Amino acid sequence: MSVEAIATALPEELATIKAAAQSSNLPYAGGVPPALAWALFSSGRAQLIDVRTGEERKFVGHVADSGHVAWATGTALTRNPRFVRELENKIGGKDAVALLLCRSGKRSVLAAEAATKAGFTHVFNVLEGFEGELDEHQQRGKADGWRFHQLPWIQD
């Protein structure tokens, strides 16, 4: 499916999530479970944009064929001042359907909020992130996240 087709076709599953997000006054289109994000991305019904740093993608792994627009860069995670402009260029416009993925689902929420504030209409957060939340042993990937759910990913 072309970027233009994705830009104009909000999948029914996402329309339901967006309606719930609006009724809850979320400042972005809503949260998408990892398995649904994979189904939408792999079928060409949504774009998947990784907002982690380039280093995280390289050393921790990433979803093959996903886009990349860093929300923050460097070890200090300095906010990328060009994020909104880069996202718009990457996904093909402010009406494109985009699912944002980060490590645990926190930076992608901030990125989705910023995108929505800038006029994007269909930007969603992928819940749980790529690695998931820290557990009681300060380890990720033991209870949730993209990799925990055994969804496809690659490592350089």
Side-chain angles (χ1 to χ4, degrees), residues 5 7-8 11 21-22 26 39 43 55 70 74 77 79 83 90 103 105 113 115 123 130 143-145 147:
T8 60
Q22 288 173 332
L26 277 183
S43 66
E55 294 84 0
L77 293 178
R79 168 86 160 71
F83 175 78
K90 179 68 74 174
R103 178 181 61 197
E113 289 176 1
V123 175
F130 187 73
D144 61 3
R147 295 190 324 179

Side-chain angles (χ1 to χ4, degrees), residues 66-151:
S66 61
H68 179 237
V69 179
W71 169 249
T73 59
T75 55
L77 293 178
T78 304
R79 168 86 160 71
N80 175 3
R82 298 172 309 282
F83 175 78
V84 169
R85 183 178 49 226
E86 291 174 7
L87 179 64
E88 185 173 5
N89 289 334
K90 179 68 74 174
I91 67 175
K94 291 185 175 182
D95 292 324
V97 179
L99 311 174
L100 305 185
L101 178 69
C102 71
R103 178 181 61 197
S104 64
K106 291 179 178 63
R107 278 179 280 168
S108 50
V109 164
L110 297 173
E113 289 176 1
T116 301
K117 187 175 181 181
F120 289 74
T121 57
H122 304 309
V123 175
F124 296 81
N125 170 49
V126 177
L127 300 169
E128 303 175 18
F130 187 73
E131 295 181 72
E133 283 291 336
L134 289 170
D135 68 8
E136 66 276 2
H137 303 290
Q138 300 300 300
Q139 296 177 338
R140 296 186 189 277
K142 304 288 181 159
D144 61 3
W146 189 277
R147 295 190 324 179
F148 173 80
H149 293 291
Q150 301 180 355
L151 296 168

Side-chain angles (χ1 to χ4, degrees), residues 15-71:
T16 301
I17 289 169
K18 186 173 182 179
Q22 288 173 332
S23 70
S24 298
N25 294 317
L26 277 183
Y28 58 98
V32 179
L36 176 57
W38 170 249
L40 293 166
F41 172 61
S42 64
S43 66
R45 296 185 291 153
Q47 296 180 65
L48 182 65
I49 305 297
D50 194 327
V51 301
R52 295 174 301 152
T53 67
E55 294 84 0
E56 285 175 291
R57 284 175 50 92
K58 178 162 183 59
F59 297 115
V60 179
H62 62 277
V63 181
D65 300 320
S66 61
H68 179 237
V69 179
W71 169 249

